[in-house]
Amino acid sequence: MNNPLPPKVAVVGGTRGIGAAITSTFVTAGADVLLTGRSVPEHVLEALRGAGRRAGQTVEGLALDVTERDFAQRLAESARTSLGGLDVLCLNAGVFPNKPLADMTHADVREVFATNVESQILAVAACVPLLRESGRGRIVLTSSITGPLTGFPGWSHYGASKAAQLGFMRTAALELAPYGITVNAVAPGNVLTEGLQELGEAYLAQMAATVPLGRLARPQEIADVVEFLAGERASFITGQVVTVDGGQTLPESPEAVLPTGTDAPS
């Protein structure tokens, strides 16, 4: 059974990693897409347009810095002018600089919260009129297990921002429910993105060893969940978080993660 997508989608931070996979998934499904990021290379847009399956499909780019004061208004205005409206808003922008608490500064905290929390609140607020006009609005936030479910040294500001993001999501879901707009989040574990790869092979191996399924997630596996939440079959789901972590948050100790290929206990 297909999961029909509304025809117009805005994706923020979609040029790399999870955002890129979400964008590609929507385009392949035939959606019109406004792809945003600090920069949107033309070759990326051309590749996406080549993946489209519908005649006359719109795939446009909009360079945005989500920490700038007017970005949310520009996003909403561009969605109206480029796509003619908005059905699905997927917000993926996020930064995770490593900084121990002893070295934390006001600027460090401000950078993370401005990108990970404030930008999402402002983008949703600016796009509410368009989503109301749609009559079937969907908002999907990319969160994380770090903060809401787990912690990691050096990422206290990141974890706090992701927990705050979900607090916003739940209240937004209540406020927007009367208009038929759903607000949900996906909480990935460790995903094999460019940003994570920059942390080095030793870190990747360490993280994979903590996942019961024995590997890190692929960006497409997160995009598949986002596609479901943005589709018609998720029309009665709102204010919820879907954890996609390969079981990473299940073990109560490292010893509970069996080596890959181990036979189940008899």
Side-chain angles (χ1 to χ4, degrees):
M1 180 178 177
N2 293 327
N3 188 32
L5 278 173
K8 305 194 189 303
V9 181
V11 178
V12 176
T15 60
R16 287 165 50 110
I18 293 172
I22 294 170
T23 303
S24 179
T25 298
F26 285 160
V27 171
T28 301
D32 293 335
V33 174
L34 177 65
L35 172 62
T36 75
R38 288 183 182 270
S39 66
V40 185
E42 187 60 31
H43 73 274
V44 173
L45 292 174
E46 289 303 318
L48 289 169
R49 289 169 183 144
R53 296 178 177 176
R54 182 166 58 82
Q57 186 174 9
T58 299
V59 180
E60 298 293 339
L62 176 66
L64 279 178
D65 182 340
V66 299
T67 63
E68 293 181 353
R69 184 177 295 273
D70 67 343
F71 95 91
Q73 287 68 36
R74 289 183 58 205
L75 173 63
E77 291 167 5
S78 295
R80 185 181 292 280
T81 57
S82 296
L83 304 178
L86 181 63
D87 295 326
V88 180
L89 178 64
C90 293
L91 300 175
N92 311 297
V95 293
F96 49 97
N98 187 289
K99 183 62 70 78
L101 269 174
D103 301 326
M104 192 79 68
T105 67
H106 178 271
D108 295 326
V109 176
R110 184 68 182 84
E111 174 194 8
V112 170
F113 270 76
T115 301
N116 297 4
V117 183
E118 290 179 20
S119 72
Q120 301 206 350
I121 296 173
L122 294 172
V124 169
C127 291
V128 164
L130 291 172
L131 293 166
R132 288 183 62 178
E133 291 172 12
S134 163
R136 49 180 173 178
R138 301 280 188 273
I139 299 169
V140 185
L141 311 179
T142 298
S143 185
S144 175
I145 63 171
T146 305
L149 295 172
T150 67
F152 195 86
W155 285 354
S156 59
H157 50 350
Y158 173 81
S161 74
K162 290 299 181 178
Q165 182 189 52
L166 296 186
F168 161 68
M169 176 208 64
R170 294 183 179 100
T171 299
L174 289 172
E175 288 193 22
L176 300 180
Y179 310 117
I181 300 170
T182 66
V183 189
N184 294 291
V186 59
N190 283 288
V191 184
L192 196 57
T193 62
E194 297 92 336
L196 206 63
Q197 288 174 326
E198 291 170 1
L199 298 179
E201 291 298 325
Y203 176 84
L204 296 179
Q206 175 189 352
M207 289 298 100
T210 69
V211 180
L213 288 182
R215 62 175 177 84
L216 305 185
R218 297 183 293 272
Q220 185 61 49
E221 291 173 308
I222 312 304
D224 290 341
V225 177
V226 173
E227 180 185 14
F228 169 74
L229 292 173
E232 296 301 322
R233 288 187 293 173
S235 60
F236 206 60
I237 301 174
T238 195
Q240 304 303 309
V241 185
V242 180
T243 301
V244 189
D245 69 348
Q248 186 175 345
T249 54
L250 294 176
E252 63 181 47
S253 70
E255 291 74 24
V257 181
L258 301 177
T260 303
T262 299
D263 292 336
S266 58

